[in-house]
Amino acid sequence: MHLLIDIGNSTVVAAATDRNGVIQYSWRFKTLKDETVSYYRNEIFSGMKKRGMAANEIVSAAVCSVVPEVNDDIAMAITDITGKTPHFFSLSDAWKYITVDVESPLQLGNDRLADAVAAVVTYGCPVIVFDMGTATTVGIISEHNVFQGGMIIPGVKTSLSALSSKASQLPVINIEKPRDIIGRNTLECMQSGILYGSAAMVDGIIDRLEEATGKKHTVVATGGMAKNIVPYCRHKVILDEYLQFKGLFHTILQKPTE
């Protein structure tokens, strides 16, 4: 098996794949910058143990991170458990599959690049990728496999948390479907706003990007909040929970097709 780790701002997602890159297991735990290697070792090891995975089953490990503060601790945890030194995804890995045509390629989040690679390999080009986590990122890849840039937007939960914390009369709520798009109380108004508002944003961005490029695109969404928002979009949006892991597997553990 291959151990793949996605280190996000709020959550670390771990996954184990077979030799063909098919996800067999996955689990989540919190990204905690102030924690030590012991915390990450325990979360990875206990996740493996609960799923009946033995350390000697892991033949390689790869990590995609946007939180460099925890990289060393997670790398040490993986090595302690499996005896393998993990490979950290970087821009040079992405170049195996795509051309990156932005002003400062090294400033791009590795998650966006891994998403782009997976979208190109899995769904073809041109393609638009929405990754809906702490931030909602948008990547656009042309028909010639060129990553052209995109957007960074406050994430769904981030926006909702800011609203509740800054407006004293608005409560903290769970993200659930309201009875109707027209809310009849504060709770329903907030639920409707975050769900339909986020979906309308996705639809609107697709329209504007396709207008700007003059091309129709395949659209893919991933990230922790995508499953909550995609059902309310009017455009066809493919929901792919494991998109980033597919990018990791293809760039690091599988040679490109000639």
Side-chain angles (χ1 to χ4, degrees), residues 174-238:
N174 293 322
I175 298 176
E176 298 175 354
K177 182 181 179 180
R179 289 183 297 178
D180 192 84
I181 190 171
I182 302 173
R184 294 177 57 81
N185 55 54
T186 300
L187 174 62
E188 289 179 353
C189 287
M190 292 178 70
Q191 290 173 333
S192 179
I194 199 67
L195 286 177
Y196 291 105
S198 297
M201 177 197 69
V202 171
D203 286 327
I205 287 173
I206 295 168
D207 289 335
R208 288 173 182 251
L209 288 176
E210 292 190 336
E211 180 181 357
T213 61
K215 302 283 185 180
K216 295 293 292 183
H217 292 69
T218 301
V219 182
V220 186
T222 191
M225 290 307 302
K227 63 182 180 295
N228 298 88
I229 304 304
V230 167
Y232 301 97
C233 294
R234 290 183 172 177
H235 278 279
K236 179 182 178 181
V237 180
I238 299 168

Side-chain angles (χ1 to χ4, degrees), residues 6-159:
D6 164 24
I7 307 174
N9 287 295
S10 302
T11 306
V12 178
V13 185
T17 78
D18 63 18
R19 68 181 64 185
N20 298 313
V22 178
I23 301 290
Q24 302 298 307
Y25 310 104
S26 68
W27 65 99
R28 296 171 176 262
F29 49 94
K30 291 182 179 180
T31 304
L32 299 176
K33 296 180 183 178
D34 296 330
E35 278 290 354
T36 66
V37 63
S38 297
Y39 165 75
Y40 292 106
R41 187 190 300 116
N42 179 68
E43 292 294 339
I44 295 170
F45 181 76
S46 62
M48 292 172 58
K49 186 176 181 180
K50 286 178 182 177
R51 289 152 185 86
M53 296 169 55
N56 60 9
E57 291 183 77
I58 304 299
V59 297
S60 65
V63 180
C64 184
S65 174
V66 295
V67 189
E69 296 93 329
V70 305
N71 287 357
D72 288 345
D73 286 339
I74 287 186
M76 187 177 297
I78 293 170
T79 302
D80 288 348
I81 295 168
T82 68
K84 308 297 181 183
T85 300
H87 178 94
F88 278 78
F89 177 91
S90 67
L91 178 63
S92 61
D93 295 309
W95 275 97
K96 297 173 185 176
Y97 286 89
I98 61 175
T99 300
V100 181
D101 184 19
V102 298
E103 291 184 359
S104 302
L106 290 174
Q107 293 181 4
L108 272 175
N110 288 328
D111 54 342
R112 298 178 69 190
L113 291 172
D115 285 341
V117 169
V120 168
V121 172
T122 308
Y123 302 105
C125 294
V127 61
I128 297 169
V129 181
F130 289 83
D131 193 330
M132 309 184 81
T134 303
T136 293
T137 62
V138 186
I140 183 165
I141 303 95
S142 77
E143 66 270 30
H144 303 298
N145 290 17
V146 177
F147 184 95
Q148 298 174 295
M151 301 177 183
I152 301 175
I153 306 158
V156 176
K157 283 188 176 179
T158 303
S159 299

